[in-house]
Amino acid sequence: MAQSTFDRRRVNGPEESFPPMFDDEDDGGRGWTAKRCRGAEDIRPIFLQPGLVSQANGSAYIETENTKLACAVYGPRQSKTTTYSERGRLNVEVKFAPFSCVRRRAPLRDAEDRAVAIAIHQSIVSSICLELFPKSTIDVFIVVIENDGIEGCIASGSIAASTALADAGIEMLGLVASCSAGVRGDEIRLDPVEKEVAAADGTVILACMPALSSVTNVYQSGRVSAQGAMKCMELCQDRCIDVHAVMAQSLLSSRASMP
Amino acid sequence: MSVIPDEKNPTPTNQAQSDELRAQIFQRLHPHAYLDRFLTEGVRPDGRTPEEWRDVFINVGSISTANGSALVRIGGTTIICGVKAEVAEPELDTPDQGFLVPNIDLPAICSPKFKPGPPSEEAQVLSERLNAALISTQLLPLTTLCIEPGRSVWCLYVDATCINYDGNAFDAALLAMVAALRNTTLPECTYNEETGRTTCRSRSARRPLPLNEDKVIVGLSFGVVPTPSVPMGLDTSEGKNTSQTTGPILLADPTAFEEPLLAQVVTVVVDVQGRVVSVEGGVCGKSGADHDEDEGSTFIEKSLQAAQARAKILHQLLR
């Protein structure tokens, strides 16, 4: 149900409009049992392109099958607040395009945008040398163009943000790679899509810096046993090493092709 | 990355690097004089002549969650448009008409001059102009969106998002919206009288929108730069060098660097047959105060001719 309150800053449609209902209902558990084209421990192929937004200091575009997002970094620039801060600030903002999800999202920012932004902030903040930028702010803006699973979104967002920061030339301790996993019973699947997440018992998202073998963020939601969560984290960390190689390769080839 | 138009030095030596830095500082501190230096030579900072247009790239149908989508790139300006279809009750006085709701968003990602938050003035003005262009030309007759008169109609939300803003967002957005509407497909829908619900058959083929193919429009924008302050001038319509000072210069397809320096912006909307649908001219920028009334109208004529020539190429691309 999309109820549009009258927004004087936009062109408005009818007061109430509903997404179309289809005659064959989706079975809840079918998402997990449906055949998967890749193995349980394979993630979707990543296409990562730095330097997409020419107006920004650094940017990256990431595409993994049906999840597409663009990220731009502006900074370090002057902080708007007048209070002195020894360490720089990192500001992450996420915006979902209205056509990015199966149900149309209102253009106003809501709680889900904020939650995704906080998760990405947590993933990348420990990798940046913020003490080198007093009184400054680094702004990371992410626009989600197509969304196939929030966990995949957060993981791809962290990868894109870290690549964009590297593209901007901001000093970091290491590149941050991220991977998500879904659990149903004893079965673990890496990089679940939206249908699999809806059918799963719980999910785990892990962000780490493979170059330093350190973990920056673990986010577990739903019902996952303790051993299951540890196993997820191990699998994600192994996969993050491959993701790191993809990120490094894309940054090197984008630099090589520059004049 | 800031705009560095100087591409002539591939191997940076110390001298070349300091020259580049001085050019960048000059661009930042005195943008009007910087632009004038280029215009007196007959080029613009990105290497184009004043009447040259940037390359246009269109890609449709890449977003699976939307009923129709398009990505348009005009030079650096990148706009993504998606169409979502929802079901709504029609208005009481138009029981057989659906809704077409175009909107554009200029988020903070696309340019350092946009801050996060509610739509800026520029975005609001763009949304209104696009709405006027699409509704007034009757590109999509709203009666074709009817499912059951008085009960249930389609409502198409056409949302455009800018990913990279390098000037001329109107042209790119209009192109993206028209291409996305072309790409849109709707499922077969039936209205059930007893339950009052509208259900769609998911297994049946989706039908494309019945657009008026002869009403497809493209937009073409021009900017007018006030008289260059350097003596040597270039007459754009004849392409010859004249020795005396010439008047303001018409630039086709302004970039983000040129936009704040323009005295006037003219947008021409042309349809498939080459007929001019609408002309919008506005005074803008800080140099608007020096603008001369008479010269303004001659620029509109010049832009009409240039627009009709370029519109043919854009309509070919849309096919």
Side-chain angles (χ1 to χ4, degrees):
Chain A
M1 194 185 290
Q3 222 154 359
S4 54
T5 51
F6 185 74
D7 186 351
R8 63 182 176 84
R9 293 184 216 253
R10 283 177 230 267
V11 175
N12 283 282
E15 263 177 33
E16 251 191 328
S17 64
F18 308 90
M21 283 182 288
F22 289 91
D23 46 13
D24 57 349
E25 292 299 320
D26 247 295
D27 180 21
R30 221 159 44 131
W32 195 272
T33 53
K35 229 174 72 139
R36 217 190 199 213
C37 310
R38 48 195 161 103
E41 291 185 16
D42 289 335
I43 56 172
R44 290 172 280 180
I46 297 176
F47 169 75
L48 184 59
Q49 175 70 43
L52 177 84
V53 179
S54 60
Q55 299 286 311
N57 293 104
S59 59
Y61 171 76
I62 187 167
E63 191 175 311
T64 57
E65 276 184 14
N66 282 340
T67 297
K68 302 176 172 73
L69 45 91
C71 171
V73 167
Y74 291 91
R77 47 186 185 183
Q78 192 179 13
S79 256
K80 289 188 201 78
T81 57
T82 48
T83 52
Y84 173 76
S85 64
E86 255 176 32
R87 301 187 81 216
R89 271 180 251 266
L90 175 70
N91 177 34
V92 178
E93 294 214 9
V94 174
K95 205 172 169 90
F96 282 83
F99 44 83
S100 56
C101 306
V102 175
R103 297 234 156 126
R104 180 178 183 263
R105 292 181 79 101
L108 312 147
R109 286 179 66 220
D110 60 2
E112 196 167 25
D113 298 4
R114 201 79 187 93
V116 173
I118 295 218
I120 297 178
H121 181 280
Q122 170 76 16
S123 306
I124 55 177
V125 72
S126 30
S127 71
I128 310 174
C129 308
L130 286 172
E131 55 278 351
L132 298 174
F133 311 113
K135 304 185 285 186
S136 311
T137 303
I138 298 175
D139 286 316
V140 177
F141 298 117
I142 295 178
V143 168
V144 180
I145 299 164
E146 198 181 343
N147 173 28
D148 194 12
I150 288 290
E151 285 72 15
C153 237
I154 296 176
S156 302
S158 309
I159 296 171
S162 197
T163 310
L165 286 165
D167 187 47
I170 292 173
E171 269 116 341
M172 303 198 291
L173 296 171
L175 286 174
V176 174
S178 182
C179 185
S180 58
V183 179
R184 185 177 163 106
D186 287 327
E187 206 188 329
I188 296 176
R189 283 196 186 173
L190 288 185
D191 203 9
V193 293
E194 189 149 358
K195 291 203 175 71
E196 290 172 336
V197 167
D201 293 332
T203 56
V204 174
I205 311 172
L206 179 118
C208 64
M209 286 193 274
L212 305 178
S213 305
S214 65
V215 174
T216 57
N217 185 23
V218 179
Y219 197 91
Q220 181 263 316
S221 83
R223 206 168 36 135
V224 182
S225 67
Q227 293 92 333
M230 294 307 294
K231 186 87 179 76
C232 279
M233 285 170 60
E234 278 169 26
L235 288 172
C236 285
Q237 275 196 287
D238 290 335
R239 202 50 68 229
C240 279
I241 298 174
D242 303 327
V243 173
H244 184 268
V246 171
M247 292 166 74
Q249 184 55 43
S250 68
L251 283 165
L252 283 171
S253 40
S254 86
R255 275 284 174 269
S257 60
M258 266 178 63
Chain B
M1 291 299 186
S2 59
V3 175
I4 306 175
D6 185 0
E7 305 265 72
K8 299 181 198 132
N9 302 306
T11 52
T13 59
N14 275 341
Q15 178 60 32
Q17 270 177 327
S18 76
D19 279 346
E20 212 173 286
L21 185 63
R22 281 165 54 206
Q24 268 186 288
I25 295 173
F26 184 48
Q27 182 187 14
R28 274 291 180 92
L29 296 179
H30 307 285
H32 284 273
Y34 185 83
L35 184 62
D36 288 343
R37 290 280 179 89
F38 280 91
L39 289 178
T40 51
E41 303 294 325
V43 285
R44 292 149 81 172
D46 58 359
R48 293 184 284 157
T49 60
E51 55 280 339
E52 205 177 316
W53 300 81
R54 286 178 288 185
D55 286 333
V56 174
F57 169 77
I58 306 179
N59 183 308
V60 293
S62 48
I63 299 176
S64 60
T65 50
N67 292 79
S69 60
L71 170 109
V72 167
R73 251 206 299 256
I74 295 187
T77 303
T78 307
I79 301 225
I80 296 186
C81 180
V83 178
K84 289 289 281 180
E86 292 197 341
V87 177
E89 269 190 29
E91 298 278 346
L92 285 172
D93 49 354
T94 53
D96 59 345
Q97 282 190 12
F99 300 93
L100 184 65
V101 188
N103 261 305
I104 182 166
D105 195 16
L106 299 175
I109 187 179
C110 64
S111 170
K113 59 182 181 179
F114 299 125
K115 296 283 172 273
S120 58
E121 203 177 298
E122 200 157 341
Q124 292 177 51
V125 168
L126 263 181
S127 283
E128 273 305 317
R129 288 172 66 196
L130 289 163
N131 189 26
L134 283 177
I135 301 290
S136 68
T137 55
Q138 289 284 306
L139 171 66
L140 175 68
L142 294 177
T143 44
T144 58
L145 295 175
C146 184
I147 302 171
E148 179 75 29
R151 292 270 187 258
S152 157
V153 293
W154 283 112
C155 173
L156 295 182
Y157 292 99
V158 185
D159 296 296
T161 307
C162 185
I163 302 291
N164 189 13
Y165 184 83
D166 197 11
N168 205 3
F170 180 81
D171 292 4
L174 189 58
L175 214 54
M177 288 188 172
V178 171
L181 283 169
R182 268 253 181 82
N183 182 245
T184 306
T185 54
L186 294 176
E188 292 290 330
C189 232
T190 43
Y191 176 77
N192 190 325
E193 272 291 339
E194 296 153 9
T195 59
R197 287 172 64 185
T198 315
T199 18
C200 305
R201 278 192 290 278
S202 60
R203 292 187 210 286
S204 64
R206 297 190 163 214
R207 58 177 183 98
L209 286 179
L211 299 173
N212 270 330
E213 284 299 331
D214 55 342
K215 302 243 171 81
V216 171
I217 45 169
V218 292
L220 301 117
S221 296
F222 301 81
V224 178
V225 182
T227 311
S229 49
V230 188
M232 281 297 288
L234 184 73
D235 191 323
T236 52
S237 56
E238 292 169 313
K240 288 192 287 223
N241 269 326
T242 58
S243 53
Q244 68 241 54
T245 323
T246 56
I249 298 181
L250 188 73
L251 300 178
D253 195 7
T255 63
F257 168 68
E258 294 161 355
E259 268 187 359
L261 312 171
L262 302 171
Q264 187 187 21
V265 173
V266 179
T267 300
V268 184
V269 177
V270 182
D271 73 2
V272 156
Q273 273 115 13
R275 290 182 302 212
V276 174
V277 170
S278 81
V279 179
E280 291 170 341
V283 174
C284 71
K286 303 189 196 85
S287 23
D290 310 323
H291 170 63
D292 188 353
E293 285 275 337
D294 292 329
E295 283 170 346
S297 51
T298 56
F299 278 113
I300 293 185
E301 286 164 29
K302 277 191 207 163
S303 53
L304 283 177
Q305 293 165 3
Q308 282 170 313
R310 176 71 183 170
K312 289 202 195 88
I313 303 173
L314 285 182
H315 279 294
Q316 275 300 109
L317 265 174
L318 262 182
R319 268 184 209 301

